[in-house]
Amino acid sequence: MDAAHTSQRCPRCRHTERANRPDRDNFQCRRCGLAGPADVVAGVDMRDRARSAWVFVTAPAPTPWPSSGRGWMRPVTVPS
């Protein structure tokens, strides 16, 4: 998993900017105001990235569409 910009990206609003990290130890989002230790914010961002990747990998395969004219895909007849 790529860790690029995790300490500059806000886990709340997803705003990424170098100015979000005013110094080595602190994080403060310039858009929504979320603030905290930079390492904790980076860890939360990495956790969220891992969760979204895990859901994508473990999602069940989509079910095939029903064949034409069967199931819920019936032709609609509109009276004229």
Side-chain angles (χ1 to χ4, degrees):
M1 177 140 324
D2 186 17
H5 306 293
T6 54
S7 63
Q8 298 174 7
R9 183 177 180 183
C10 178
R12 181 190 294 162
C13 71
R14 300 292 184 223
H15 176 68
T16 305
E17 183 180 340
R18 185 176 291 224
N20 283 349
R21 191 161 175 192
D23 58 52
R24 185 176 190 274
D25 296 330
N26 299 307
F27 175 89
Q28 183 172 5
C29 180
R30 301 295 180 212
R31 182 179 291 164
C32 73
L34 178 75
D39 291 342
V40 173
V41 171
V44 169
D45 195 31
M46 285 298 292
R47 180 200 64 195
D48 292 346
R49 288 184 188 189
R51 281 182 177 169
S52 65
W54 182 252
V55 168
F56 179 73
V57 169
T58 61
T63 57
W65 288 86
S67 60
S68 177
R70 294 185 179 177
W72 58 273
M73 292 181 54
R74 294 191 180 119
V76 177
T77 307
V78 180
S80 45

